[in-house]
């Protein structure tokens, strides 16, 4: 969690560092991240299972709001209820007793706005045309 939230601030340092210093900063950050991952027993990163259990438009918990009668109806009504997939996630994490969860969700939502949305149904094309998971799986 702390590695994800602290990575937001790396971009702010890049503007003030020489390119060699930026390279060193990113290498050290990666090494520290790997060190933490190894020290925690190398937990499995279940990326394929994560994408298999998610949807592009999660519905909020509790009563689902109904759109106004004048709203242009789409084939998929979940897009009308939650046009921003992060909104229900942020709403439910704000009241969570662990204050780390809202911080993590805020960082992930920030990265979603920077790097776009990867839709499960669309094949999850990643950077440079690479597929998420490396084996052609989404």
């Amino acid at each position: 969690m702390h590695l994800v939230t602290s990575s937001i601030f790396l971009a702010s340092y890049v503007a003030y560092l020489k390119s060699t210093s930026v390279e060193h900063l990113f290498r050290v950050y990666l090494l520290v991240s790997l060190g933490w991952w190894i020290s925690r027993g190398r937990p499995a990163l279940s990326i394929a299972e994560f994408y298999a259990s998610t949807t592009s438009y999660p519905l909020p918990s509790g009563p689902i709001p109904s759109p106004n009668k004048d709203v242009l109806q789409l084939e998929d009504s979940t897009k009308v209820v939650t046009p921003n997939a992060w909104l229900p996630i942020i709403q439910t994490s704000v009241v969570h007793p662990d204050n780390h969860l809202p911080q993590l969700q805020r960082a992930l939502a920030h990265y979603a706005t920077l790097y776009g949305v990867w839709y499960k149904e669309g094949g999850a094309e990643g950077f440079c045309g690479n597929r998420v998971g490396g084996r052609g799986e989404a």
Side-chain angles (χ1 to χ4, degrees), residues 30-104:
L30 177 64
L31 289 174
V32 168
S33 300
L34 287 173
W36 275 105
W37 179 65
I38 291 170
S39 71
R40 305 217 13 119
R42 296 182 318 173
L45 301 174
S46 307
I47 296 173
E49 291 82 9
F50 170 78
Y51 275 105
S53 66
T54 62
T55 177
S56 297
Y57 293 94
L59 292 175
S61 59
I64 298 175
S66 59
N68 188 308
K69 62 179 175 63
D70 296 329
V71 170
L72 179 62
Q73 295 295 322
L74 301 174
E75 294 175 13
D76 186 5
S77 63
T78 58
K79 293 178 183 176
V80 175
V81 174
T82 57
N84 182 350
W86 283 100
L87 183 60
I89 296 170
I90 298 292
Q91 286 176 332
T92 55
S93 68
V94 166
V95 294
H96 197 274
D98 184 4
N99 64 352
H100 289 89
L101 183 64
Q103 294 171 2
L104 177 64

Side-chain angles (χ1 to χ4, degrees), residues 111-135:
Y111 282 126
T113 59
L114 287 179
Y115 301 114
V117 179
W118 292 4
Y119 293 102
K120 175 184 170 189
E121 296 86 14
E125 287 291 333
F127 297 110
C128 304
N130 296 327
R131 310 242 344 142
V132 175
R135 296 184 305 264

